[in-house]
Amino acid sequence: MVLRLSYAITLGVIVAGPLFAQQSQLTIDKITQDPDTWIGSWPRTPFWSEDGQTLYFRWNPMGTFPSDSLFKVPRSGGTPAQLTPEERRGLGPSFTGWHHGELVYDATFSRKVYVQRGDLHLYHRDSGETVRLTQTRRTEYSPRFNPEGNAIVFTSENNLFELNLATGAMRQLTDLRSGKAPQEPNVSGQAAFLEAQQSDLFAFIRKQQEEDEMREAAQERDEQATDPPTTYYLDGKNPSQLRIDPTERFVTFVITEDANAQRTVGMDYVTESGYAAERSARPKVGTPYGEAVLFAQDLVRDTTYAIDLHQIEGAYDVPQYLREQGAAIDSAKTKRALYSFGPFWNADGSLAVLEIRARDHKDRWLTRLDPVSGSLTLLDRQHDDAWIAGPGISWFGGASEGGWLPDGHHYWFQSEASGYSHLYTVNVETGAQTQLTSGAFEVFNPQISQDGTQWYFTSTQASPFVRHLYRMPILGGEPQPLTTMEGRNSAVVSPDGAMLGILRSFTTQPPEVYLQAPGMEPDRLTYSQTEEWLAYPWRVPETIYYEASDGIMVPAHLFTPSSSNGAAVLFVHGAGYAQNVHDGWSSYYREYMFHNLLTDLGYTVMQVDFRASSGYGRDWRTAIYRHMGGRDLQDYVDASTYLQERFGISADRIGIYGGSYGGFITLMALFTEPEHFGAGAALRSVTDWAHYNDPYTSNILNTPETDSLSFARSSPINFADGLEDPLLMPHGILDLNVQFQDIVRLGQRLIELGKDDWEIAIYPVEGHGFQEPSSWRDEYRRILKLFERHIGNQAAH
């Protein structure tokens, strides 16, 4: 039996399918239940108290509460206890690292300033006493000590303020105003003649003018005597990144033009009022950004000036893809769009580092800023003909990770210059660089110990499939692993470095909290899984490498049934830049359960970390540049070939499915390589990259205006005529990420092409990530029915 639907939008629930040739303890109803009550709600986000005596984490054991609650356990271990409402309200600051150079601590680390519910608080680390510094309706944020430790500098309502800790006096340090600067009236022509005539004729008028001039002069003298902040009028533009150096001489801020970008909209049809509601969403790729200009104020010279970012080497370089197109562009005259983050000052305000990024994503510069002259000195340039990214390096245009070493002369950062994201330092005065880590692995979340002698960071040094916490001397050396458990270890280090709070997971075990002193055995604190969930023998898939058509070995997970039904399913993870082949608990845990169900029913299941996935370095990440659905899809074509050769499974009995980016790959597979697949389910899939967002898409494909070829060959809608196999396309109407318009446009295209055997299933209350168990249940019943009917047990008979 074959589905033959020219166009079908389907609501409701599919009835139970026919009896399977093989049975499973699992059912679609079971695996799509609320995970809190079926699997058990696992703990999340552990953190230490500022004094390091208590480990906190969020948890909802066995779904007992309406949502996660805050739990605590002493560093000595024991049974976790839920905080009372009084304890939650009185909770002091959490420890988030020592932040050398940022002055959230005073010079002796005896006090810390922090924000709680929009107000400033001061924490005394010796006594544990907390003092509330402000209680206002406005929001204060980004507080720090001045170098002397006798005042707090903070931001509120787009201006900087200083609070004297001894007197409580508040001083405004900046005066940024949203409007336009006042101007003298422009009097000319007849009006000027009449004013001059009045002044010449009447002593009364001349006396008024003299008095006005005297009052204005006196007011100016009074203002100068009280040392008011320098006024700057924003002229309606948007300010951000407001900073002041520790000496309180230089203020910097970024002013961004409003580009008036046209935004997309979504529609909510299931509303309390009964009326459809419009939801505003993102612009589409290629929508222009407003110009972002970095300004500096020298409060001593009472002057404000723009910092010219284009003075830096490479600011006018023409991207390679434009040169390849033969664009007649004079690089000496082409001004690339640049923007900046920082400056990041050392503790005494003697040095400042500014990060500069190009809007075309091809360059990241670290520079030393001389705030007096506005000149920039290059410290590091990372260039990539594809796009700049990687662990510790912002993909979406934000500030990259980095900071000052305690000596106040060296700045640390991460770079993919070696092909993997590693840890570097640069002497900001001399420009001398040192690479601290190296090898075919990546570094995540570096932090420095309080005494400044050690690094702590997470790394894949042992294997791309596991993560451990490491310790390393501040000037480099052999990293020492501090965690030892198999799987993925996400550890938070206590303030004194003597205890670890670990969120550890394994393929078959969701995350649990452990306490461990470095070098000692870890102590498990939480047990979250239900008896029902534990009763099933969850599989640990085989981790394999298979050879792709370009000779590269591609990692994959393989679920092999005890008795094969002669069919296979390939799963494609989402995001593109994500990792699903690892030894920890998968973020695709519903799919993991589904794969166990499929394996019970005789399917061979394979999930691949295709080219574009994270965890394997720069070349793996950028292999899809200018052609999504190229090398990434070919890895799935090669996976299909592998299944055929190793297990004798015919191509027409190999299904493929995935969501978001996985849905996109599924569409490209069925539209452009149908001979390698028998059916597919494309969930919340991108169908036309010209309609996706800019921060993600323009990294990989540039923009439709400048690189139309990349969009044309990467968008499934252009290849819909190649559809030969049954296709299911579930999509949420409230999806503001991959919007419902995407799948509607593809549906119309398939109608006009006269295609059969496809179906759109809509979910009126769901966004990009489904929330309701009923929606998950309906979606996965449809997917299973598709595979059973077209490649599985029913197709075999």
Side-chain angles (χ1 to χ4, degrees):
M1 179 179 180
V2 178
L3 286 174
R4 298 194 178 278
L5 302 176
S6 296
Y7 184 65
I9 294 182
T10 311
L11 290 170
V13 177
I14 294 179
V15 297
L19 292 176
F20 302 135
Q22 293 167 261
Q23 298 298 315
S24 172
Q25 298 176 36
L26 302 175
T27 65
I28 294 297
D29 285 359
K30 179 175 287 189
I31 68 174
T32 57
Q33 296 176 74
D34 180 352
D36 285 357
T37 55
W38 149 235
I39 302 174
S41 178
W42 51 89
R44 296 167 172 86
T45 59
F47 63 91
W48 287 99
S49 60
E50 185 62 39
D51 62 7
Q53 297 305 306
T54 307
L55 182 70
Y56 296 96
F57 52 90
R58 303 203 69 83
W59 194 27
N60 185 8
M62 303 302 171
T64 305
F65 311 109
S67 61
D68 284 0
S69 187
L70 196 59
F71 280 73
K72 65 179 181 179
V73 67
R75 66 183 287 152
S76 58
T79 303
Q82 184 187 19
L83 270 68
T84 66
E86 293 76 17
E87 288 176 317
R88 287 200 309 272
R89 288 192 289 268
L91 197 64
S94 59
F95 177 70
T96 58
W98 289 109
H99 304 286
H100 292 276
E102 295 181 23
L103 297 178
V104 294
Y105 294 95
D106 62 15
T108 63
F109 293 101
S110 61
R111 295 173 298 167
K112 179 180 183 178
V113 61
Y114 66 102
V115 175
Q116 191 172 60
R117 299 184 185 90
D119 288 319
L120 303 182
H121 293 73
L122 186 65
Y123 178 76
H124 295 267
R125 299 188 67 249
D126 292 337
S127 65
E129 178 189 9
T130 298
V131 178
R132 186 171 188 165
L133 300 178
T134 62
Q135 189 171 1
T136 66
R137 290 187 179 275
R138 68 186 184 188
T139 298
E140 290 92 27
Y141 54 96
S142 301
R144 65 166 176 79
F145 286 93
N146 67 352
E148 295 76 26
N150 57 18
I152 303 297
V153 177
F154 63 94
T155 306
S156 182
E157 296 179 340
N158 289 327
N159 273 294
L160 287 163
F161 297 83
E162 184 179 71
L163 175 65
N164 188 298
L165 292 174
T167 66
M170 190 89 71
R171 182 165 68 97
Q172 187 168 337
L173 301 178
T174 63
D175 186 20
L176 303 184
R177 304 187 185 184
S178 60
K180 295 184 177 182
Q183 298 180 351
E184 292 293 329
N186 183 17
V187 181
S188 60
Q190 181 190 26
F193 170 80
L194 292 177
E195 282 194 9
Q197 183 189 52
Q198 293 294 90
S199 181
D200 290 341
L201 289 176
F202 302 109
F204 171 75
I205 298 293
R206 291 194 295 275
K207 181 180 178 182
Q208 279 188 323
Q209 290 172 337
E210 291 171 1
E211 290 175 351
D212 288 344
E213 290 173 0
M214 292 174 64
R215 275 194 300 270
E216 290 173 2
Q219 182 178 353
E220 186 174 343
R221 287 194 300 273
D222 289 343
E223 289 179 350
Q224 289 175 347
T226 57
D227 190 26
T230 300
T231 300
Y232 182 83
Y233 292 91
L234 300 171
D235 196 15
K237 298 174 185 175
N238 302 314
S240 62
Q241 300 190 61
L242 180 59
R243 301 172 184 270
I244 191 167
D245 83 291
T247 71
E248 298 183 7
R249 174 178 173 178
F250 297 103
V251 174
T252 57
F253 53 90
V254 172
I255 300 298
T256 305
E257 295 265 8
D258 187 352
N260 294 316
Q262 182 176 354
R263 305 190 70 84
T264 55
V265 296
M267 295 298 297
D268 185 353
Y269 294 101
V270 183
T271 63
E272 187 175 358
S273 69
Y275 288 89
E278 187 174 274
R279 293 192 178 186
S280 177
R282 54 161 175 81
K284 297 187 179 186
V285 59
T287 301
Y289 287 88
E291 183 182 14
V293 181
L294 175 65
F295 284 90
Q297 282 188 342
D298 186 335
L299 301 183
V300 171
R301 294 183 293 167
D302 193 17
T303 181
T304 303
Y305 44 95
I307 304 296
D308 178 17
L309 303 181
H310 288 82
Q311 65 185 277
I312 202 67
E313 170 191 310
Y316 291 85
D317 288 359
V318 177
Q320 181 185 21
Y321 80 95
L322 291 176
R323 298 197 304 270
E324 290 175 353
Q325 294 177 24
I329 299 174
D330 184 350
S331 62
K333 298 179 181 179
T334 302
K335 193 172 185 178
R336 296 163 74 191
L338 307 180
Y339 58 103
S340 64
F341 294 96
F344 306 103
W345 299 89
N346 64 355
D348 64 12
S350 60
L351 296 170
V353 170
L354 185 71
E355 179 181 354
I356 302 171
R357 300 290 292 261
R359 286 282 184 211
D360 60 28
H361 315 293
K362 316 299 182 192
D363 279 286
R364 182 202 68 181
W365 298 266
L366 293 179
T367 66
R368 183 177 76 242
L369 168 66
D370 178 357
V372 176
S373 64
S375 64
L376 300 171
T377 302
L378 183 64
L379 299 173
D380 179 76
R381 179 186 181 185
Q382 186 182 344
H383 172 80
D384 198 312
D385 286 335
W387 76 95
I388 299 292
I393 309 163
S394 173
W395 176 309
F396 298 108
S400 301
E401 289 189 29
W404 288 93
L405 267 60
D407 66 4
H409 299 282
H410 290 82
Y411 190 85
W412 68 266
F413 62 97
Q414 288 184 248
S415 170
E416 279 190 325
S418 68
Y420 291 83
S421 183
H422 281 293
L423 188 58
Y424 293 75
T425 63
V426 59
N427 186 312
V428 178
E429 293 175 300
T430 68
Q433 257 189 51
T434 303
Q435 183 175 348
L436 300 183
T437 60
S438 62
F441 62 89
E442 297 186 315
V443 169
F444 305 85
N445 307 318
Q447 292 187 11
I448 300 174
S449 62
Q450 181 182 1
D451 62 10
T453 64
Q454 301 286 332
W455 287 102
Y456 295 99
F457 56 80
T458 301
S459 166
T460 54
Q461 183 171 349
S463 163
F465 312 124
V466 302
R467 291 192 186 182
H468 286 298
L469 181 74
Y470 289 80
R471 180 169 57 200
M472 183 181 75
I474 196 71
L475 297 180
E478 184 62 30
Q480 173 193 359
L482 298 181
T483 55
T484 58
M485 293 179 286
E486 61 181 350
R488 282 200 164 189
N489 298 266
S490 176
V492 289
V493 184
S494 65
D496 61 3
M499 190 64 69
L500 307 177
I502 306 171
L503 197 64
R504 179 263 180 182
S505 73
F506 185 62
T507 309
T508 59
Q509 179 190 301
E512 300 287 6
V513 176
Y514 294 74
L515 271 176
Q516 179 189 342
M520 303 298 288
E521 287 297 313
D523 178 23
R524 181 171 172 176
L525 302 178
T526 61
Y527 294 82
S528 303
Q529 285 79 65
T530 67
E531 291 297 325
E532 183 183 13
W533 195 83
L534 290 170
Y536 178 82
W538 300 103
R539 293 173 175 84
V540 178
E542 178 187 3
T543 300
I544 65 165
Y545 284 89
Y546 67 93
E547 186 174 359
S549 53
D550 61 353
I552 298 296
M553 302 305 291
V554 179
H557 271 166
L558 191 65
F559 296 77
T560 306
S562 57
S563 176
S564 175
N565 67 355
V569 171
L570 290 164
F571 172 66
V572 193
H573 68 67
Y577 191 64
Q579 185 179 14
N580 196 36
V581 179
H582 57 76
D583 293 348
W585 180 248
S586 177
S587 57
Y588 295 96
Y589 57 88
R590 287 185 176 87
E591 288 77 2
Y592 170 70
M593 293 186 288
F594 184 52
H595 296 163
N596 275 269
L597 168 59
L598 288 173
T599 309
D600 285 346
L601 299 179
Y603 292 87
T604 301
V605 181
M606 189 170 171
Q607 55 193 32
V608 177
D609 272 351
F610 52 92
R611 248 67 69 90
S613 300
S614 63
Y616 306 96
R618 181 266 171 195
D619 291 348
W620 205 271
R621 173 177 62 79
T622 61
I624 59 170
Y625 178 57
R626 298 191 68 203
H627 191 184
M628 289 192 276
R631 186 63 256 176
D632 46 2
L633 173 59
Q634 187 60 45
D635 285 346
Y636 274 90
V637 171
D638 296 338
S640 174
T641 300
Y642 171 83
L643 291 170
Q644 294 172 56
E645 293 176 350
R646 177 174 172 181
F647 298 103
I649 300 171
S650 63
D652 61 357
R653 297 196 63 194
I654 297 176
I656 184 170
Y657 88 106
S660 195
Y661 198 97
F664 151 73
I665 288 291
T666 299
L667 292 177
M668 290 296 275
L670 267 60
F671 291 174
T672 68
E673 301 282 354
E675 65 274 20
H676 298 282
F677 308 96
L683 292 58
R684 53 192 181 279
S685 50
V686 176
T687 68
D688 186 343
W689 287 107
H691 291 256
Y692 196 52
N693 69 35
D694 190 273
Y696 180 90
T697 316
S698 61
N699 281 283
I700 306 171
L701 300 181
N702 303 307
T703 66
E705 182 180 7
T706 62
D707 201 357
S708 59
L709 172 62
S710 293
F711 284 82
R713 66 187 176 192
S714 300
S715 296
I717 199 168
N718 297 323
F719 303 97
D721 193 36
L723 179 64
E724 298 177 2
D725 302 308
L727 170 62
L728 170 68
M729 296 176 287
H731 214 107
I733 289 180
L734 296 183
D735 193 338
L736 300 183
N737 181 12
V738 182
Q739 295 172 357
F740 189 57
Q741 182 190 22
D742 253 50
I743 206 67
V744 171
R745 292 177 70 248
L746 179 60
Q748 180 61 25
R749 179 74 176 143
L750 292 170
I751 290 170
E752 294 180 3
L753 290 169
K755 292 295 178 179
D756 294 328
D757 299 341
W758 61 274
E759 176 185 6
I760 294 176
I762 68 170
Y763 296 87
V765 301
E766 297 293 357
H768 194 61
F770 283 16
Q771 300 295 320
E772 297 298 318
S774 58
S775 300
W776 284 106
R777 181 170 59 251
D778 183 86
E779 180 179 50
Y780 274 80
R781 281 182 178 177
R782 294 175 188 275
I783 297 170
L784 181 57
K785 183 177 181 180
L786 174 81
F787 289 151
E788 281 290 289
R789 179 173 293 177
H790 296 289
I791 66 168
N793 292 302
Q794 296 175 43
H797 299 291

